[in-house]
């Protein structure tokens, strides 16, 4: 069985990517299973999705804890233990990160027990599909290439089927297919890593009645949402040119996340720790004094 | 998917499979209310109603309580009704569920199992559906997306049979089936029509002929009569389901029983489970079999009516039986264990040992190691020892994770927290 795990944020398209691979495998005559996992659905929150492929009926369900392939759309998730990107990576024959960095540089930085590959999927999407698009097609194509699923035409058929299901317009489908084609051509299949059959030995814990509050689902700690910096989600960073700013306050009023405050002279100041890069301020500034810059590294 | 006909093998989620089941059953009325992880079912049906693929009236109601009442009222007029809910929604509509079952009207509802609050979760266990255990509704628990679709069709045959006339709930696990795509054979409209004809019988309710439904009976004898009639109708549903399943096999080639056996022929030790986690048990049984252990699985598909004879026949002569309940009745333990034990206590042959385990609560995985533990306990158990309570399948790794999160949530460093006796204290 081949097990693939995708990591991204709500809106990146990891669920659709897992479906593209599932459909490509299904069209190739394999048994396939794909599923996403998320908590309370929210754009920008960490999301994972899984695809399992086998020549016989699949007797596994739920999360993939021992992946053969891991694909990460947003490299900032690697620094977030809660996203679980590193779980079971010792089983993986490759971990592909959507990044402009060199694979070897990232491997040195991450020191993970599996081969690291990088490919700038965002650059392909920005160049071919356009801004604000999900990465499902390129991510699905990348996973198909790494898994050795093919030929290209069948992979593209799988991409198209899933994009049709999402209701994408024909021209948008065509651009996504072109992006998928490029990414598929850039990658080749990685051989599966030999693994020993799981021994399946676990130690069971026998619970006892916990004392006091530890027995109840109650949070006594003060709120820690402020410690979670949503600025990591940005693809583009808005930058205000104070020389041109008229202090009209439109950006301050419209920022949906309250990430723009006014300083003592009433100039807007962006809190980059929490600005998610929605670029509403950039769109709405009446004097166009806000520019955009693509993030190189957010963490 | 919109615009396509049935009759192909395709990748479908459990939710999409449920919607296809309703579509192929040519349902006529769909009262709906959204709740995760069920909402996709009604979204699919709404799209088909809007697109003309399904000639049904789709109505959103203000709550599950109204939704189930509307479903029952519509079913009383003789039209084919489908609805779906999950978890908190099912419990919110519970009063109405008892009521419409008491009306003895046929309708089919899909429940997508999700653990009940509190604490809140989105992942599955079976306490929601088992809260409806005594409602009078028939219950079919699916293991795969294919079974979800097929069970919806089977459910209408059972619900609408004049010997039964009760609501049927088809249950599937949230996430593990609801959001999981796997290959599903979608019957053709012709196959579906051959198996499930148009709803039969003269509608009891008509605008031109007023009558009363769900009347008050202020006499114990009358009440006893009607309630016991429900019980007898449930019992009749066992045979009706068998007949329907035989027809279904002839038309669609897939056979469903009240229970399902996996590698049971020569099994000495048997695991008993319900729902999609039985798939995990199959994989574990294959591994344990390869090590020479004679282990098998009995999957409970029909929970109501309770298939006592099939359970007794499958389990009576085994060396050991372990029921793994994906539910918990606090203060008692696993719920289905009680039913299996009661069945075996009345049976002529009883297994040497019988053990109760609770696993998969709130969607927690049941790993190979945990299945191995269950089998090891059974293998080592002797019939002379006292019957233990329900053991929770919960590993040391689970415990480490819980400890660190509880620590984070409750005892942050140097923070004043109220102790149980009301005084504040500072913990490190």
């Amino acid at each position: 069985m081949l097990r693939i795990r995708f990591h991204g944020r709500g809106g990146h398209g990891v669920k659709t990517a897992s479906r593209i691979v599932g459909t490509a495998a299904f069209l190739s005559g394999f048994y396939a299973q794909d599923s996403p996992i998320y908590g309370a659905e929210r754009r920008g929150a960490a999301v994972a999705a899984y695809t399992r492929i086998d020549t016989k009926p699949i007797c596994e369900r739920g999360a993939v804890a021992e992946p053969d392939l891991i694909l990460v759309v947003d490299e900032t998730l690697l620094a977030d233990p809660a996203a679980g990107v590193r779980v079971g990576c010792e089983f993986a024959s490759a971990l592909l990160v959507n990044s402009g960095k060199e694979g070897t540089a990232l491997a040195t930085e991450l020191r993970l027990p599996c081969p690291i590959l990088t490919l700038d999927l965002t650059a392909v999407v920005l160049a071919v599909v356009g801004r604000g698009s999900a990465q499902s097609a390129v991510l699905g194509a990348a996973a198909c290439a790494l898994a050795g699923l093919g030929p290209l035409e069948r992979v593209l058929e799988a991409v198209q089927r899933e994009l049709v299901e999402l209701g994408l317009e024909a021209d948008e489908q065509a651009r996504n297919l072109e992006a998928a084609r490029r990414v598929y051509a850039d990658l080749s299949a990685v051989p599966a890593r030999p693994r020993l059959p799981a021994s399946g030995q676990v130690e069971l814990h026998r619970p006892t009645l916990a004392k006091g509050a530890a027995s109840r689902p109650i949070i006594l700690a003060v709120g820690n949402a402020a410690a979670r910096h949503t600025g990591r989600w940005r693809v583009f960073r808005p930058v205000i040119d104070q020389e041109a700013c008229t202090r009209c306050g439109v950006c301050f009023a419209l920022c949906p996340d309250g990430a723009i405050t006014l300083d003592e002279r009433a100039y807007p100041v962006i809190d980059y720790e929490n600005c998610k890069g929605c670029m509403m301020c950039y769109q709405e500034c009446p004097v166009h004094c806000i520019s955009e810059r693509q993030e190189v590294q957010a963490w | 998917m919109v615009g396509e006909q049935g009759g192909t093998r395709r990748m479908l989620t459990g939710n999409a499979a449920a919607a296809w089941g309703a579509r192929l059953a040519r349902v006529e009325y769909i009262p709906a209310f959204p709740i995760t992880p069920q909402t996709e079912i009604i979204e699919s049906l709404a799209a088909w109603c809007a697109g003309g693929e399904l000639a049904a009236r789709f109505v959103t109601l203000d709550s599950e309580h109204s939704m189930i009442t509307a479903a029952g009222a519509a079913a009383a007029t003789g039209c084919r009704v489908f609805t779906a809910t999950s978890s908190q929604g099912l419990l919110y509509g519970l009063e109405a569920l008892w009521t419409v079952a008491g009306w003895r009207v046929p309708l089919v509802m899909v429940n997508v199992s999700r653990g009940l609050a509190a604490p809140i979760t989105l992942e599955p266990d079976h306490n929601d559906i088992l809260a409806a255990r005594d409602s009078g509704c028939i219950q079919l628990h699916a293991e795969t997306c294919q079974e979800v679709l097929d069970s919806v069709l089977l459910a209408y045959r059972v619900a609408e049979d004049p010997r039964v006339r009760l609501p049927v709930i088809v249950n599937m696990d949230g996430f593990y089936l609801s959001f999981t795509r796997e290959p599903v054979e979608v019957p053709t409209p012709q196959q579906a029509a051959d198996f499930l004809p148009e709803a039969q019988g003269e509608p009891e309710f008509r605008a031109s002929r007023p009558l009363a439904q769900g009347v008050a009976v202020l006499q114990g004898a009358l009440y006893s009569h009607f309630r016991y009639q429900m019980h007898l109708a449930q019992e009749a549903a066992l045979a009706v389901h068998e007949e329907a399943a035989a027809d279904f096999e002839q038309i669609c080639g897939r056979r469903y029983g009240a229970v399902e056996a996996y590698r049971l022929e020569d099994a000495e030790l048997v695991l008993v489970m319900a729902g999609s986690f039985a798939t995990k048990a199959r994989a574990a049984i294959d591994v344990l079999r390869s090590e020479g252990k004679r282990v098998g699985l009995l999957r409970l598909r029909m929970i109501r009516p309770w298939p006592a004879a099939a359970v007794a026949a499958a389990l009576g002569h085994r060396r050991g039986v372990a029921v793994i309940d994906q539910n918990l009745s606090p203060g008692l333990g696993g719920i289905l264990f009680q039913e299996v034990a009661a069945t075996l206590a009345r049976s002529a042959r009883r297994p040497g040992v019988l053990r109760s385990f609770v696993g998969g609560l709130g969607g927690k995985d049941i790993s190979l190691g945990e299945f191995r533990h269950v089998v090891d306990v059974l293998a080592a158990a002797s019939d002379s020892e006292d019957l233990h309570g329900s053991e929770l399948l919960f590993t040391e790794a689970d415990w480490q994770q819980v400890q660190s999160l509880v620590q984070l949530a409750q005892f942050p460093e140097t923070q004043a927290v109220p102790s149980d006796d009301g005084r504040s204290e500072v913990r490190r």
Side-chain angles (χ1 to χ4, degrees):
Chain A
M1 190 189 303
L2 188 73
R3 303 162 180 90
I4 306 173
R5 197 171 71 208
F6 299 89
H7 293 275
R9 298 188 182 279
H12 279 149
V14 298
K15 174 183 167 183
T16 303
S18 76
R19 289 185 164 204
I20 287 169
V21 183
T23 296
F26 176 71
L27 292 173
S28 305
F30 292 107
Y31 287 92
Q33 180 199 75
D34 52 60
S35 60
I37 190 86
Y38 33 73
E41 298 87 329
R42 181 160 57 87
R43 207 172 177 83
V47 177
Y50 319 103
T51 310
R52 291 184 172 94
I53 303 168
D54 207 345
T55 51
K56 52 186 191 299
I58 294 166
C59 277
E60 285 184 13
R61 293 194 177 282
V64 167
E66 299 178 357
D68 295 288
L69 296 170
I70 305 173
L71 291 94
V72 185
V73 192
D74 181 342
E75 59 182 308
T76 67
L77 289 169
L78 284 156
D80 182 355
V85 179
R86 295 163 190 248
V87 172
C89 64
E90 65 273 20
F91 295 95
S93 47
L95 187 153
L96 176 78
V97 185
N98 171 23
S99 171
K101 292 178 192 165
E102 286 291 325
T104 46
L106 200 58
T108 314
E109 201 175 309
L110 295 172
R111 282 176 301 179
L112 289 175
C114 63
I116 309 286
L117 303 171
T118 56
L119 190 62
D120 199 340
L121 298 173
T122 306
V124 178
V125 171
L126 287 172
V128 182
V129 189
R131 220 173 61 193
S133 296
Q135 315 235 355
S136 0
V138 288
L139 194 61
C144 287
L146 296 176
L149 284 170
L152 172 67
E153 291 66 35
R154 190 176 290 144
V155 172
L156 294 181
E157 187 189 342
V159 172
Q160 182 148 28
R161 281 194 185 203
E162 296 308 321
L163 297 183
V164 167
E165 182 101 351
L166 289 178
L168 256 62
E169 300 292 335
D171 61 328
E172 218 173 337
Q173 284 177 33
R175 291 201 301 275
N176 271 287
L177 285 168
E178 175 53 29
R181 190 193 307 273
R182 287 195 195 180
V183 165
Y184 188 81
D186 270 353
L187 293 166
S188 49
V190 289
R193 205 160 164 179
R195 61 168 80 183
L196 295 168
S199 73
Q201 297 290 352
V202 295
E203 201 183 331
L204 261 81
H205 173 81
R206 194 171 277 265
T208 54
L209 182 63
K211 284 190 182 135
S215 178
R216 310 191 297 266
I218 179 170
I219 296 178
L220 300 170
V222 293
N224 58 5
R228 225 171 158 73
H229 294 144
T230 51
R232 283 177 175 167
W233 305 0
R234 274 196 309 272
V235 178
F236 289 97
R237 160 194 290 250
V239 178
I240 299 171
D241 175 7
Q242 283 215 351
E243 300 285 308
C245 175
T246 62
R247 296 184 282 181
C248 69
V250 166
C251 59
F252 163 72
L254 291 180
C255 175
D257 286 308
I260 300 180
T261 50
L262 300 179
D263 68 11
E264 65 281 1
R265 295 175 303 145
Y267 279 104
V269 178
I270 298 175
D271 167 14
Y272 289 114
E273 295 279 273
N274 292 296
C275 160
K276 294 176 189 162
C278 72
M279 306 310 290
M280 208 174 278
C281 52
Y282 164 83
Q283 296 284 346
E284 298 297 332
C285 175
V287 294
H288 308 293
C289 79
I290 302 179
S291 58
E292 60 170 359
R293 289 186 207 153
Q294 191 177 339
E295 293 289 358
V296 178
Q297 186 186 2
W299 50 287
Chain B
M1 206 153 67
V2 170
E4 287 182 46
Q5 294 298 306
T8 52
R9 189 173 158 81
R10 63 184 78 178
M11 295 290 286
L12 288 185
T13 60
N15 280 343
W20 266 104
R23 174 168 162 174
L24 289 169
R26 287 112 47 228
V27 299
E28 296 164 292
Y29 180 65
I30 305 163
F33 191 85
I35 181 169
T36 299
Q38 167 275 138
T39 306
E40 288 172 355
I41 299 175
I42 57 169
E43 284 175 346
S44 298
L45 292 170
W48 289 334
C49 289
E53 287 88 356
L54 181 58
R57 179 82 191 273
F58 183 95
V59 181
T60 50
L61 275 298
D62 63 327
S63 72
E64 290 85 354
H65 193 277
S66 305
M67 179 185 91
I68 291 170
T69 308
T77 69
C79 83
R80 194 169 274 165
V81 179
F82 177 85
T83 189
T85 189
S86 169
S87 187
Q88 308 298 124
L90 177 70
L91 263 68
Y92 194 56
L94 215 50
E95 185 204 356
L97 198 64
W98 253 254
T99 301
V100 301
W103 291 352
R104 302 289 306 279
V105 290
L107 62 96
V108 174
M109 178 163 84
V110 166
N111 182 65
V112 183
S113 265
R114 163 182 151 189
L116 293 167
I120 295 170
T121 184
L122 297 175
E123 295 218 34
D125 66 40
H126 301 151
N127 268 108
D128 61 350
I129 184 64
L130 290 177
R133 186 189 61 171
D134 305 332
S135 63
C137 298
I138 287 160
Q139 288 195 12
L140 300 174
H141 289 227
E143 183 192 341
T144 64
C145 297
Q146 180 75 62
E147 194 180 338
V148 169
L149 192 160
D150 294 345
S151 294
V152 169
L153 293 172
L154 280 159
Y156 280 104
R157 277 280 298 266
V158 177
E160 292 172 0
D161 192 284
R163 293 165 285 177
V164 180
R165 284 189 63 93
L166 283 169
V168 180
I169 306 176
V170 174
N171 196 64
M172 74 167 116
D173 290 326
F175 283 87
Y176 289 85
L177 291 186
S178 72
F179 297 158
T180 299
R181 291 199 320 173
E182 50 192 23
V184 173
E185 201 84 48
V186 180
T188 61
Q190 189 57 51
Q191 283 174 316
D194 289 347
F195 172 71
L196 180 67
E198 296 307 314
Q200 298 294 310
E202 189 76 353
E204 291 180 345
F205 259 107
R206 268 189 261 162
S208 56
R209 191 182 65 191
L211 54 86
Q213 172 104 286
V215 294
V217 289
L218 303 178
Q219 295 170 13
L222 209 44
Y223 185 85
S224 299
H225 165 75
F226 287 126
R227 295 306 290 185
Y228 205 76
Q229 283 296 311
M230 286 175 69
H231 174 59
L232 295 173
Q234 278 264 350
E235 289 193 329
L238 276 169
V240 173
H241 177 267
E242 277 301 302
E243 290 168 24
D247 285 353
F248 189 82
E249 184 185 24
Q250 208 156 37
I251 295 167
C252 294
R254 291 178 294 279
R255 177 72 192 219
Y256 295 97
V259 297
E260 190 202 0
Y262 180 67
R263 304 192 79 166
L264 215 50
E265 305 79 31
D266 63 339
E268 295 178 340
L269 308 176
V270 180
L271 310 180
V272 180
M273 293 180 74
S276 69
F277 275 46
T279 304
K280 294 170 183 278
R282 289 173 199 267
I285 284 166
D286 287 348
V287 172
L288 295 166
R289 281 266 177 181
S290 73
E291 296 170 4
K293 298 191 172 78
R294 283 158 65 179
V295 191
L297 168 75
L298 183 74
R299 182 168 68 87
L300 301 171
R301 181 167 174 275
M302 184 181 256
I303 304 286
R304 282 293 179 276
W306 177 250
V311 170
L315 300 180
H317 53 292
R318 310 293 171 176
R319 187 155 76 79
V321 169
V323 181
I324 303 179
D325 267 290
Q326 202 175 355
N327 62 74
L328 177 64
S329 174
L332 179 66
I335 295 169
L336 297 176
F337 170 76
Q338 306 300 327
E339 310 211 336
V340 171
T343 300
L344 293 172
R346 291 193 298 259
S347 137
R349 298 187 69 184
R350 297 177 200 172
V353 291
L354 183 59
R355 288 288 178 274
S356 170
F357 294 86
V358 168
L361 294 183
K364 194 196 94 66
D365 185 35
I366 303 179
S367 62
L368 170 61
E370 285 155 271
F371 283 115
R372 185 184 289 284
H373 170 80
V374 171
V375 169
D376 287 349
V377 167
L378 273 190
S382 67
D383 52 5
S384 59
E385 60 188 304
D386 288 341
L387 190 62
H388 298 282
S390 297
E391 183 184 352
L392 182 69
L393 296 178
F394 190 79
T395 66
E396 277 298 331
D398 293 326
W399 174 233
Q400 297 299 326
Q401 189 194 355
V402 166
Q403 270 185 309
S404 67
L405 292 173
V406 167
Q407 187 74 20
L408 202 64
Q410 306 195 336
F411 308 114
E413 281 191 315
T414 62
Q415 188 188 330
V417 292
S419 66
D420 262 10
D421 58 10
R423 286 173 301 167
S424 274
E425 60 177 284
V426 174
R427 295 175 197 256
R428 281 202 74 82

